[in-house]
Amino acid sequence: MITGSGDGAAATAGARNAGPDVAPRARGEWARHWRHAELPGLDLLCARYVRHAFPRHAHDGYVIAAVTHGVEEVGFPHGSVRTGPGEVMMINPEVAHTARAGTPEGWAYATLYPSAALVAEIAGETTALRGTAGFAETVTQDPHLGRMITEIHRAAEAGQALAADTLLRVALARLLRCYGGPLPVRAPRSAGARTAARAKVLLHARMADPPSLEQLAKELGTGPFALLRAFKDAYGMPPHTWLTDARVRRARLLLEAGTPPAEAAVDVGFTDQPHLNRHFTRIVGVPPGAYRRERAYDRRRNNVQDPEGTAP
């Protein structure tokens, strides 16, 4: 878990006791990306980063992060947003963004990654939102919600699935009621947007052996610069950046199924395991080996029926 200590020392100690694979980082950095087997539809990340910077990427679900120490700076296509202690960051699915430290001391945070299905379920039960629910704001000053997010981590780490699930649903319901809104309905696609969507399908299908930009544009009946502009307009990043992100997403699925990192690297089109390690760690925040071992640990833990904890 992450605590809000002034110097981050208690946060580091909490992370080191959190599980079998708090991935070693550069000096002053640590991270744990994990999942509780009894909390379907949710990934968790607790970390402190100083020099680490996340390249442009997106998520298929939502990101809800409570900064507990330092400042995180997140870059969106429309500009950068800074988040500090007591504030909560909300990012909707498939929104391209970067992240890095906003101060020399870095930042520590507790992050929830609820799936689109989980958010839709809670929105349908607790709100009157129409269409696909999302967040109308990116950052809010809400210390109570920030504490709830760290409490979800604390309960999950203690094996208290009932408490963690209860707090999670209450927190998401509060976020949706206070800051939620329907995600914009996509306007009819322009010719450029349709071309970008076709390019995305082709890149996904040929992930391990993708064409060059010129070859891709030729197959789609357009020019390289026209395709580049259309793709960036549609997905917030150029095709090669999107492809790296997509490869990492597929590698995550393979690692969760128990595939060794070296094999996963080749399957998704990376040159070798070090190539996967570099991009996976930059985008996910932990190395692929630690990610795979956490998933294996979660599966083993799920096979042991521990007494259910009670809500605090």
Side-chain angles (χ1 to χ4, degrees):
M1 56 166 279
I2 294 177
T3 64
S5 64
D7 62 1
T12 305
R16 287 174 178 164
N17 293 327
D21 272 305
V22 176
R25 310 282 311 179
R27 183 174 178 84
E29 296 189 345
W30 48 262
R32 184 189 184 203
H33 194 296
W34 64 295
R35 182 182 298 161
H36 193 293
E38 295 182 57
L39 299 173
L42 179 70
D43 279 21
L44 304 101
L45 170 68
C46 57
R48 180 174 184 243
Y49 297 118
V50 180
R51 290 181 296 171
H52 183 82
F54 291 87
R56 193 162 299 280
H57 66 289
H59 302 269
D60 52 11
Y62 298 78
V63 182
I64 302 167
V67 173
T68 57
H69 176 71
V71 176
E72 178 188 19
E73 183 172 318
V74 178
F76 296 99
H78 60 269
S80 296
V81 176
R82 293 164 65 88
T83 311
E87 295 180 312
V88 176
M89 170 81 68
M90 297 160 281
I91 304 176
N92 291 317
E94 302 301 343
V95 173
H97 60 283
T98 61
R100 63 180 183 179
T103 61
E105 66 186 3
W107 84 99
Y109 62 174
T111 304
L112 307 174
Y113 298 101
S115 68
L118 178 59
V119 170
E121 174 193 336
I122 294 171
E125 187 176 353
T126 64
T127 76
L129 293 175
R130 302 290 184 180
T132 303
F135 299 111
E137 298 184 34
T138 303
V139 176
T140 179
Q141 178 74 32
D142 196 327
H144 177 66
L145 264 172
R147 288 191 294 271
M148 288 188 71
I149 292 169
T150 60
E151 286 297 325
I152 293 165
H153 274 257
R154 181 181 292 114
E157 289 159 4
Q160 298 175 343
L162 176 60
D165 194 21
T166 301
L167 290 166
L168 171 67
R169 291 173 184 274
V170 170
L172 288 177
R174 176 185 171 98
L175 281 164
L176 289 166
R177 286 196 303 270
C178 295
Y179 314 108
L183 292 180
V185 178
R186 287 184 177 273
R189 285 182 171 177
S190 65
R194 289 194 296 271
T195 298
R198 290 170 59 205
K200 178 181 173 181
V201 171
L202 285 173
L203 289 172
H204 203 275
R206 294 157 63 179
M207 186 176 293
D209 187 23
S212 68
L213 180 64
E214 182 178 4
Q215 291 169 334
L216 183 60
K218 186 175 181 179
E219 288 187 38
L220 297 172
T222 187
F225 284 103
L227 174 58
L228 181 60
R229 286 193 299 270
F231 203 97
K232 290 178 71 174
D233 286 345
Y235 303 112
M237 61 186 97
H240 71 280
T241 303
W242 179 90
L243 178 61
T244 298
D245 190 28
R247 283 172 166 170
V248 169
R249 291 195 201 190
R250 183 177 289 182
R252 287 178 64 172
L253 296 176
L254 293 172
L255 294 168
E256 288 168 12
T259 303
E263 184 178 331
V266 175
D267 285 350
V268 302
F270 287 118
T271 305
D272 50 24
Q273 184 173 340
H275 194 196
L276 168 66
N277 288 355
R278 182 166 63 255
H279 288 292
F280 193 100
T281 303
R282 290 178 67 213
I283 290 175
V284 180
V286 297
Y291 184 90
R292 178 174 178 260
R293 287 190 295 272
E294 279 284 0
R295 295 304 185 264
Y297 174 74
D298 292 337
R299 288 194 298 270
R300 290 195 302 271
R301 183 172 56 185
N302 193 39
N303 291 331
V304 178
Q305 299 300 315
D306 291 328
E308 183 70 86
T310 57

